[in-house]
Amino acid sequence: MCARALIYLEHLKGNIKSVKNRTGEGRLICVPVKADAYGHGAIQIARASLEAGVGFLGTATVSEGKELRKEGIKAPILIFSQPHPDDIADIIRENLTPLVSDIDFTRALNEHVTTANLRFAEVLGSAAQNVKLPVHLKIDTGMRRLGCNADESLDLARFIASCQGLELTGTATHLAVSDSTEEQDIAYTKTQLEIFNKAVSSIRASGINPGIVHAANSGAVILHPDSWFDMVRPGILLYGYKTAEENKSPSDHYMNLKEYAPITVKPVMELRCAVTLIKKVKKGESVSYGRTWTAEKDTFIAVLSAGYADGLPRLASNKWQVLIGGEAFPLIGRITMDQCCANLCTDDMKTLPNIRRWDEAVIFGGQASDTHSAAALAEITGTIPYEITCNASRRAGREYLK
């Protein structure tokens, strides 16, 4: 049996409920299902999210949006990244909602939609309807990535309003350090929100409806209630990992959060594998490539059916522990592409513990404690839990538990 990822859909739905309880039942939630839903499986996560009452889905690319439409998912889908002009036909055909940052791309969208409407009119005559493509205006308030400058946002909003083929249905920004409890980062986020509020107000004052206003990512859902607006876009939070803790904020900022109960979430993914072989290793013998671990005494090791090709980082070699029968055993030697090894006789143990060949081992996540979460694995390998879950390969497969 190879490695496999168990996906706890009830944990996902519980996390969505936690976000609703935190931000208010009437507020919209957009679930990012980009990068195959952070490695969890975009189609299944999208369906479960919609069952839980989510209103929007988000992808990075047009091709990801097309996959959702192909599977019959009809909910609004936001395209977070900048599409290529060659993708415009698919955006229109699949009724996807791009975030626009500039007039040039917005003009190209409008021209394509207008042309399509003319073709329908030629065929259908008076029965043809003038279709409008929904777009969200993206404002750069300090991320310095996508989005128009705040002082250009009103001009872009006016241009969208003038387009026969487009409809402004939302206005958004993205926060750079909303998951930080450092005072200077909290101040930076507040400055971003001030810039965003001013830009949105100027759009409204001009007589243009900004549509659904949204800014909050996972960190902002936890730390910045003033960023929640009409919709929130938590990503890793919905997959079970908090990017910040409320009580670690500076005291004056934490006081503003005390009216909200601390949010709690559970990891949605659990990566498991099997004990494929148990063998004795004598004192002085080394294990795996590079001979980075040598037995200090006679011991037993378990060969496990998971490697870095399954999502267990090679950087975790000699640093991580797996759970077998609920007990932790250290990984020893280098993690290889398809396998790794665990030492079964720790401390003064000289006999094999109650572990059998083909028993299951938990690599991270799911029902395991925080010490065996993707966040803990990310910390020892110098990365973030996003990368850990995204790297759980398709070879590992997915088993969805309801």
Side-chain angles (χ1 to χ4, degrees), residues 78 99 136 170-173 196 212-216 229-233:
L78 299 180
L99 273 68
H136 284 210
T171 303
T173 194
F196 185 56
I212 298 167
V213 178
H214 51 108
F229 299 110
D230 302 321
M231 182 168 72
V232 295
R233 308 186 311 263

Side-chain angles (χ1 to χ4, degrees), residues 9-333:
L9 294 177
E10 288 307 313
H11 287 192
L12 172 72
K13 292 180 179 181
N15 296 343
I16 291 171
K17 185 176 181 180
S18 293
V19 171
K20 284 183 177 181
N21 291 341
R22 174 73 166 200
T23 62
E25 192 68 31
R27 188 166 276 106
L28 292 168
I29 297 176
C30 175
V31 175
V33 291
K34 60 182 181 173
D36 200 29
Y38 295 28
H40 294 72
I43 304 303
Q44 293 82 356
I45 293 297
R47 287 174 176 157
S49 298
L50 295 173
E51 289 173 6
V54 163
F56 279 73
L57 303 171
T59 68
T61 66
V62 173
S63 61
E64 290 174 331
K66 286 174 63 180
E67 286 183 17
L68 296 175
R69 291 288 188 246
K70 184 178 178 181
E71 294 298 321
I73 293 171
K74 301 184 184 302
I77 299 173
L78 299 180
I79 307 298
F80 293 145
S81 297
Q82 173 62 54
H84 192 276
D86 290 347
D87 292 328
I88 291 177
D90 285 333
I91 291 173
I92 298 168
R93 184 181 304 110
E94 305 295 347
N95 193 29
L96 306 176
T97 304
L99 273 68
V100 296
S101 303
D102 65 287
I103 286 179
D104 286 345
F105 186 75
T106 306
R107 180 183 291 112
L109 281 172
N110 183 56
E111 290 174 353
H112 277 73
V113 176
T114 303
T115 300
N117 283 334
L118 289 173
R119 289 174 180 167
F120 282 128
E122 290 175 359
V123 175
L124 300 177
S126 60
Q129 295 182 344
N130 188 39
V131 174
K132 287 201 170 190
L133 180 74
V135 299
H136 284 210
L137 191 162
K138 180 74 174 287
I139 302 174
D140 180 10
T141 58
M143 184 72 174
R144 303 293 176 253
R145 204 171 57 177
L146 295 178
C148 65
N149 292 332
D151 57 6
E152 300 170 344
S153 60
L154 179 55
D155 288 339
L156 183 52
R158 283 173 171 158
F159 181 76
I160 295 170
S162 72
C163 292
Q164 292 184 347
L166 304 181
E167 180 181 7
L168 180 61
T169 58
T171 303
T173 194
H174 197 45
L175 303 173
V177 286
S178 64
D179 57 352
S180 173
T181 54
E182 297 294 326
E183 287 193 27
Q184 64 269 26
D185 291 334
I186 289 173
Y188 191 87
T189 300
K190 289 186 178 300
T191 299
Q192 280 195 264
L193 293 172
E194 288 170 3
I195 294 170
F196 185 56
N197 272 311
K198 184 178 178 181
V200 172
S201 295
S202 69
I203 292 170
R204 282 200 176 102
S206 72
I208 298 172
N209 183 353
I212 298 167
V213 178
H214 51 108
N217 49 13
S218 291
V221 166
I222 298 170
L223 296 178
H224 296 279
D226 51 345
S227 72
W228 295 346
F229 299 110
D230 302 321
M231 182 168 72
V232 295
R233 308 186 311 263
I236 198 65
L237 187 63
L238 293 179
Y239 295 109
Y241 294 98
K242 294 181 71 170
T243 55
E245 293 294 338
E246 296 91 334
N247 59 5
K248 293 184 179 179
S249 302
S251 58
D252 58 337
H253 186 73
Y254 180 54
M255 290 302 294
N256 296 329
L257 300 174
K258 293 195 77 172
E259 65 177 285
Y260 306 100
I263 190 168
T264 57
V265 292
K266 294 180 180 180
V268 176
M269 177 188 288
E270 178 178 287
L271 188 64
R272 290 189 184 187
C273 63
V275 175
T276 59
L277 190 65
I278 296 174
K279 62 191 303 181
K280 188 171 184 179
V281 174
K282 295 180 180 179
K283 178 180 178 180
E285 293 181 336
S286 58
V287 172
S288 195
Y289 292 125
R291 304 181 65 227
T292 61
W293 184 88
T294 300
E296 295 180 353
K297 61 183 180 181
D298 289 357
T299 188
F300 289 90
I301 68 167
V303 181
L304 306 175
S305 61
Y308 58 77
D310 301 296
L312 175 59
R314 188 172 181 269
L315 288 172
S317 299
N318 297 304
K319 298 178 183 178
W320 190 239
Q321 295 181 325
V322 296
L323 297 175
I324 308 175
E327 187 175 349
F329 297 94
L331 293 183
I332 56 171

